[in-house]
């Protein structure tokens, strides 16, 4: 463990990142440029989030890493191992136990507390990018608060699909000022962003950090006649029966059978431990008993 | 009557070379001003200086704001100028693809200016977009098509619709008919003339096509080598040109 400086990055780099984080917290939603380092993992694997986590972690912290809500996917496992090795911090899969949570594409179902920090991995921090390719122009649009273009994207959605079809990376306006890309979280999670925990966003390849302080106002953009809707699959979880969690759809066979399960694995597991049973889990346990008998 | 736009001593230099020098004119509400001259005579430089795309080295461009006050748009702050350029001003580019978002549907292109000034009701935006497409003779069925699927003439008409949707008071046009074939040009000119008259627009049209100014412009300014060499009523200048260059220009037009 002593082969690495604590949490891999050198102290000067962590100071530089912390300065960017503080600036980001002072101007909620504003993208702060920072000198992103090469990390021992490819771009797109969360190099931004890892650097923010590294600058945030202290030896007393407990880290949780999730990828699409799950603790056991490749990305989550490898980042958790990375910090176990380079920082020696405790890790956990339980949301309530963690003090720092690095996430890719989800917000945990369980409400976060004021003493927790949520770190997002961001692929493309600029919400206007797909409509305006010039960085000079998008920066000017941010500084002059010219956000009409963002609604052009939503307009196109309605014209094409009859409803706002953007279902993830849904643009939000922060504290009535900056329009921000909430990283590719499902729009189901957008209302949760007004939370007690500090939220930090790191984009490694694009070299940007932005942040939301606790209880910050976050409004999803919409039209008067097409209001924002936090949508999810209209189904209870087949494992734990939860009706309020975001679900993954899993195709079971080629006969059209499918099941819906919570994308937040910790939430689902803790509910099952508490005795909640979903439809397919119940059927499976009945079948299991029959074969045993 | 007070002028809508007052241009005083506008000069623009590119290093040692001169873009345009000491241009003065007044534009009154409802008036269309044509600027003609050969390539490289400084027409486009002048237009870009007036529209705020280029920073002139000397001079003032005074514009009558909605409250009636004359404001210098050269020294005005950038947010104000950009606000002006998406409300009271419009700019029609020679190439439609410079003025359109090619990967956004026709309706979205027209609606963008509305959304930029705060329209947030999809139904109303779309209704307005369809109405404007109709006014520039684009069928309602094309409202969700992208400009890449449009012909050159349609793209140019779409660009005009997109610019006029917020009811601007001053339109800058840079060779609006360039690159179009003559029959399409004629239709576009007819359309433009109708819209200008109907909406009471003031416009500044840069072109090298004398037929365009004959049809649209009330007044004419002839530029040569970065200087204005002759100004006057369009018919007067074209029928009785005084300056040698203007005489050359008028006599160069092919008579069919």
């Amino acid at each position: 463990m002593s082969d690495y400086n604590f949490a891999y990055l050198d102290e000067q780099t962590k100071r530089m990142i912390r300065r960017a984080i503080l600036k980001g917290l002072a101007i909620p939603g504003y993208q702060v440029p920072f000198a992103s380092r090469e990390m021992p993992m490819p771009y797109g694997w969360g190099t931004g989030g890892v650097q923010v986590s590294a600058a945030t972690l202290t030896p007393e912290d407990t880290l949780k890493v999730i990828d699409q809500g799950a603790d056991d996917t490749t990305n989550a496992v490898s980042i958790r191992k990375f910090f176990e090795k380079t920082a020696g911090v405790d890790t956990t899969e339980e949301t309530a136990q963690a003090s720092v949570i690095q996430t890719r594409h989800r917000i945990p179902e369980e409400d976060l507390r004021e003493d927790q920090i949520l770190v997002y991995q961001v692929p493309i921090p600029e919400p206007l990018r797909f409509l305006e390719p010039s960085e000079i122009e998008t920066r000017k649009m941010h500084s002059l608060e010219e956000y009409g273009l963002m609604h052009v994207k939503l307009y196109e959605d309605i014209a094409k699909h009859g409803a706002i079809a953007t279902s993830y990376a849904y643009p939000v306006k922060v504290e009535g000022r900056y329009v921000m890309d909430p990283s590719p979280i499902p729009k189901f999670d957008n209302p949760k962003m007004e939370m007690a925990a500090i939220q930090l966003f790191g984009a490694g390849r694009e070299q940007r950090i932005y942040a939301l302080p606790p209880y910050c106002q976050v409004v999803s953009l919409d039209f008067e006649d097409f209001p924002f809707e936090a949508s999810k699959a209209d189904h209870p979880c087949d494992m734990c029966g939860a009706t309020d969690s975001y679900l993954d759809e899993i195709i079971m066979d080629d006969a059209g059978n499918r099941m819906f399960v919570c994308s937040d694995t910790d939430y689902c597991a803790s509910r099952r431990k508490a005795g909640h049973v979903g439809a397919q889990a119940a059927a499976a346990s009945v079948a299991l008993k029959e074969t045993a008998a | 009557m007070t002028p809508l736009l007052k241009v005083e001593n506008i000069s623009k230099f590119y290093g040692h070379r001169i873009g345009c020098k000491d241009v003065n004119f007044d534009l009154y509400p409802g008036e269309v001003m044509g600027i003609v001259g050969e390539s490289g005579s400084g027409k486009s430089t002048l237009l870009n200086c007036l529209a705020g795309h280029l920073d002139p080295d000397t001079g003032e461009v005074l514009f009558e704001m909605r409250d009636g006050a004359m404001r210098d748009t050269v020294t005005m702050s950038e947010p104000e100028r950009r606000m002006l350029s998406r409300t009271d001003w419009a700019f029609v580019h020679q190439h439609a693809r410079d003025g359109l978002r090619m990967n956004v549907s026709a309706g979205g292109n027209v609606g963008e200016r509305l959304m930029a000034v705060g329209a947030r009701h999809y139904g109303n935006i779309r209704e307005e977009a369809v109405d404007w497409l109709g006014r520039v003779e684009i069928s309602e069925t094309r409202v969700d098509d992208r400009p890449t699927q449009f012909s050159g003439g349609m793209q140019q008409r779409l660009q005009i619709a997109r610019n006029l949707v917020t009811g601007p008071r001053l339109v800058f046009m840079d060779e609006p008919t360039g690159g179009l074939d003559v029959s399409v040009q004629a239709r576009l000119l007819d359309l433009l003339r109708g819209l200008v008259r109907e909406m009471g627009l003031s416009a500044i049209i840069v072109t090298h096509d004398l037929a365009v100014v004959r049809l649209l412009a009330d007044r004419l300014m002839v530029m040569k080598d970065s200087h204005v060499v002759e100004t006057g009523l369009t018919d007067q200048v074209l029928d009785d040109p005084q300056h040698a260059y203007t005489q050359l220009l008028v006599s160069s037009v092919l008579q069919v």
Side-chain angles (χ1 to χ4, degrees):
Chain A
M1 154 51 218
S2 58
D3 296 343
Y4 291 104
N5 187 37
F6 177 73
Y8 187 78
L9 292 174
D10 62 280
E11 293 303 312
Q12 283 300 324
T13 302
K14 284 195 270 184
R15 279 182 63 171
M16 176 270 293
I17 294 172
R18 284 174 197 143
R19 275 199 292 267
I21 291 173
L22 288 175
K23 183 168 180 184
L25 282 167
I27 320 170
Y30 171 72
Q31 299 167 43
V32 186
F34 80 111
S36 176
R37 299 292 191 249
E38 289 282 338
M39 296 303 283
M41 60 186 71
Y43 288 127
W45 279 62
T47 52
V50 164
Q51 289 178 75
V52 171
S53 292
T56 313
L57 281 175
T58 64
E60 294 76 40
D61 271 320
T62 309
L63 179 71
K64 171 184 162 80
V65 185
I66 51 173
D67 168 12
Q68 307 267 18
D71 290 277
D72 53 4
T73 49
T74 316
N75 195 207
V77 170
S78 57
I79 292 173
R80 192 185 316 126
K81 285 233 174 87
F82 174 75
F83 281 118
E84 277 171 4
K85 189 169 179 182
T86 61
V89 292
D90 291 336
T91 55
T92 180
E93 295 195 358
E94 286 172 50
T95 305
Q97 298 297 318
S99 54
V100 176
I101 303 173
Q102 181 170 335
T103 176
R104 171 173 176 266
H105 303 188
R106 265 322 299 280
I107 295 176
E109 300 294 348
E110 202 174 320
D111 284 341
L112 299 183
R113 302 181 310 265
E114 285 183 8
D115 61 346
Q116 292 179 307
I117 297 175
L118 186 59
V119 178
Y120 295 78
Q121 303 170 195
V122 182
I124 295 167
E126 179 52 72
L128 301 161
R129 178 60 69 240
F130 289 107
L131 292 151
E132 179 51 67
S134 157
E135 172 72 15
I136 292 174
E137 187 61 22
T138 52
R139 278 204 218 184
K140 193 166 272 175
M141 289 159 86
H142 279 295
S143 64
L144 300 179
E145 239 179 304
E146 286 180 4
Y147 290 130
L149 198 53
M150 209 65 252
H151 274 86
V152 173
K153 181 174 152 47
L154 302 181
Y155 171 94
E156 289 289 291
D157 260 11
I158 302 173
K160 228 179 272 169
H161 308 288
I164 299 179
T166 303
S167 56
Y168 63 94
Y170 193 101
V172 294
K173 194 166 206 178
V174 180
E175 287 288 331
R177 178 61 182 82
Y178 282 98
V179 165
M180 185 187 95
D181 181 347
S183 88
I185 59 170
K187 65 178 171 184
F188 174 79
D189 282 342
N190 271 18
K192 288 197 226 160
M193 297 185 88
E194 291 185 352
M195 63 161 77
I198 291 177
Q199 297 168 79
L200 306 175
F201 299 77
R205 178 178 39 209
E206 306 285 325
Q207 314 204 323
R208 294 288 183 278
I209 285 173
Y210 50 105
L212 294 175
Y215 308 112
C216 198
Q217 186 201 43
V218 181
V219 179
S220 304
L221 300 179
D222 59 4
F223 285 104
E224 286 157 15
D225 45 348
F226 284 86
F228 170 78
E229 215 179 318
S231 60
K232 67 183 269 287
D234 186 21
H235 205 277
C237 171
D238 281 324
M239 295 296 286
C240 75
T243 53
D244 58 349
S245 69
Y246 190 74
L247 303 172
D248 285 341
E249 182 179 6
I250 300 169
I251 293 172
M252 304 299 287
D253 52 28
D254 55 5
N257 285 317
R258 55 197 60 204
M259 77 186 285
F260 290 90
V261 289
C262 297
S263 90
D264 186 337
T265 51
D266 172 53
Y267 183 73
C268 199
S270 62
R271 272 180 58 86
R272 270 180 288 151
K273 213 177 279 173
H276 298 277
V277 181
Q280 296 208 23
S285 71
V286 168
L288 208 63
K289 268 178 205 152
E290 275 169 5
T291 45
Chain B
M1 199 151 82
T2 55
L4 181 70
L5 189 77
K6 220 172 154 55
V7 178
E8 286 175 356
N9 290 321
I10 286 292
S11 303
K12 173 75 186 170
F13 303 97
Y14 298 107
H16 293 297
R17 283 175 290 119
I18 306 169
C20 60
K21 193 146 182 356
D22 296 332
V23 180
N24 291 282
F25 69 91
D26 291 348
L27 185 76
Y28 288 87
E31 193 181 29
V32 178
M33 165 81 116
I35 303 175
V36 293
E38 59 189 5
S39 298
S41 60
K43 317 183 292 277
S44 293
T45 298
L46 175 62
L47 192 74
N48 284 322
C49 285
L50 300 181
H53 298 171
L54 281 176
D55 222 6
D57 291 304
T58 66
E60 291 180 330
V61 180
L62 299 163
F63 180 72
E64 189 198 41
M65 308 295 281
R66 295 213 170 175
D67 61 6
M70 295 296 279
R71 291 282 307 277
D72 184 5
T73 62
V74 176
T75 53
M76 145 190 299
S77 73
E78 195 176 9
E80 278 181 296
R81 190 162 55 230
R82 283 173 74 114
M83 187 66 194
L84 207 56
S85 67
R86 54 174 193 263
T87 53
D88 273 356
W89 288 0
F91 197 101
V92 178
H93 293 263
Q94 173 175 5
H95 301 292
R97 33 186 76 234
D98 294 340
L100 291 172
R101 291 195 187 277
M102 298 306 282
N103 52 0
V104 166
S105 71
N109 263 297
V110 179
E112 181 181 347
R113 264 171 88 106
L114 294 170
M115 291 182 249
V117 294
R120 291 291 179 266
H121 190 285
Y122 175 81
N124 296 351
I125 293 168
R126 194 170 172 84
E127 206 173 295
E128 188 102 345
V130 168
D131 176 47
W132 266 98
L133 290 183
R135 289 210 219 176
V136 296
E137 298 164 14
I138 296 174
S139 154
E140 187 182 338
T141 54
R142 303 300 302 270
V143 65
D144 290 330
D145 290 345
R146 293 181 176 198
T148 40
Q149 293 162 291
F150 286 7
S151 68
M154 279 172 85
Q155 287 180 2
Q156 198 58 285
R157 295 203 300 271
L158 178 61
Q159 193 194 180
I160 288 164
R162 167 186 159 91
N163 272 290
L164 297 188
V165 67
T166 48
R169 294 186 295 152
L170 176 59
V171 186
F172 300 97
M173 293 190 224
D174 191 3
E175 310 260 14
T177 57
L180 301 176
D181 69 61
V182 280
S183 61
V184 174
Q185 259 188 38
R187 252 176 86 195
L188 186 75
L189 285 174
D190 196 40
L191 177 81
L192 271 177
R193 190 163 60 164
L195 288 170
V196 165
R197 296 279 178 272
E198 187 187 319
M199 299 175 71
L201 291 175
S202 307
I204 298 175
I205 300 179
V206 161
T207 182
H208 51 237
D209 188 343
L210 291 183
V212 171
V213 286
R214 176 75 100 176
L215 213 56
L216 283 176
D218 303 310
R219 272 199 304 148
L220 199 57
M221 208 158 82
V222 184
M223 287 188 77
K224 165 98 174 107
D225 295 336
S226 314
H227 292 269
V228 175
V229 292
E230 189 165 352
T231 57
L233 297 175
T234 304
D235 291 343
Q236 182 189 338
V237 174
L238 293 182
D239 293 343
D240 183 20
Q242 300 295 311
H243 191 273
Y245 172 71
T246 317
Q247 290 169 357
L248 177 74
L249 198 66
V250 170
S251 62
S252 319
V253 176
L254 287 175
Q255 304 292 332
V256 185

